[in-house]
Amino acid sequence: MNQVDRRSFLADSIRTVGTVALAGAAGVLVGRTGSAEPMVWQLDPDKCIACTNCATKCVLDVSAVKCINCFDMCGYCDICTGYFEMGYTALDTAAENQACPTGAIVRRFIEERSGQRFYEYTIDVPLCIGCGKCVKGCALMNGSLYMQVEHDRCLDCNECAIAIACPTQAFYRIPASQTEIMKRKAIAALAPLASAAHAASGWRRRRWTPRGRGAAGAPRPAAAVACGTGTT
């Protein structure tokens, strides 16, 4: 009888230990899940081929994917292949000469030096539909224009329709604190300026305005910002 009681006691003890262990493991998993950083969708510009899916596949009426300009890569060209249609008839802001179908790129004269005229190109975000026409055109020159998901507009769907349709798998999730995926060339262009930028109080990627020279050797106007849309 004692042996039976002892066996029952041992069996009950094993079951109790097992239950506690499982509960502890579940608690750890819950804790880890609760403390995990949220993930958001973003577009890798080095994989992007500007296929127009960002404009047509997003569940929003106007895509959450927008063009940005890395000004430290931009040449501030008079003849910008990201701004002008390939068959332009004049270097002016007439709609028929612009590559952007919605006129979302704002062209502004900055200065003239040694007979060269320099222009700043910024993005009017509400007008941008994420079609990528400017990105494809800019790729023929410096490639300073590229696409990114604007998280204040993105619905962060569990299954992103653009990611599913993307032919190069350029869409994937990143930690929310990372915010963006910069072009490798943009990172290289900004690297020499990073220490000075972080040393300046109140630095933000769309706010720092040093004077210097662009990636193509063109003077960077004082009004230029490091990387961003330029307008909101």
Side-chain angles (χ1 to χ4, degrees):
M1 186 70 178
N2 290 336
Q3 290 181 348
V4 173
D5 292 342
R6 185 178 180 186
R7 287 174 183 171
S8 299
F9 174 77
L10 289 173
D12 290 341
S13 299
I14 291 171
R15 281 194 294 269
T16 302
V17 170
T19 302
V20 171
L22 287 173
V28 170
L29 289 174
V30 169
R32 288 179 179 175
T33 303
S35 63
E37 184 175 356
M39 303 292 281
V40 293
W41 290 104
Q42 193 48 277
L43 171 60
D44 187 336
D46 289 305
K47 293 183 178 180
C48 174
I49 58 173
C51 66
T52 74
N53 277 345
C54 289
T56 59
K57 300 298 183 181
C58 184
V59 297
L60 296 173
D61 291 336
V62 179
S63 179
V65 180
K66 307 293 181 182
C67 178
I68 68 171
N69 190 7
C70 182
F71 292 95
D72 281 270
M73 291 174 62
C74 183
Y76 297 89
C77 305
D78 184 3
I79 305 176
C80 172
T81 54
Y83 180 82
F84 288 108
E85 188 67 77
M86 290 299 179
Y88 67 88
T89 57
L91 295 178
D92 58 35
T93 57
E96 62 268 20
N97 295 323
Q98 296 183 43
C100 180
T102 61
I105 303 179
V106 180
R107 183 177 191 248
R108 185 170 70 92
F109 174 72
I110 298 297
E111 59 189 354
E112 183 173 348
R113 289 189 182 183
S114 303
Q116 287 185 289
R117 294 171 65 83
F118 297 99
Y119 290 81
E120 181 183 71
Y121 299 90
T122 54
I123 311 301
D124 189 335
V125 175
L127 292 180
C128 179
I129 60 173
C131 68
K133 283 194 69 178
C134 60
V135 174
K136 187 170 288 188
C138 187
L140 300 174
M141 300 294 284
N142 290 19
S144 65
L145 296 174
Y146 61 93
M147 313 287 282
Q148 289 286 270
V149 176
E150 293 286 329
H151 294 117
D152 60 342
R153 294 169 170 82
C154 179
L155 299 179
D156 196 30
C157 304
N158 288 332
E159 292 291 335
C160 174
I162 304 175
I164 293 171
C166 182
T168 59
Q169 297 182 327
F171 263 81
Y172 48 83
R173 286 189 175 277
I174 62 171
S177 61
Q178 184 178 336
T179 306
E180 62 185 311
I181 302 175
M182 291 186 69
K183 223 176 183 181
R184 286 193 295 268
K185 288 183 178 179
I187 294 173
L190 293 171
L193 308 172
S195 58
H198 285 287
S201 61
W203 178 85
R204 296 292 185 273
R205 75 181 175 97
R206 297 184 185 180
R207 295 292 183 268
W208 189 47
T209 58
R211 188 175 183 84
R213 302 189 70 83
R220 183 175 64 243
V225 293
C227 267
T229 58
T231 60
T232 55

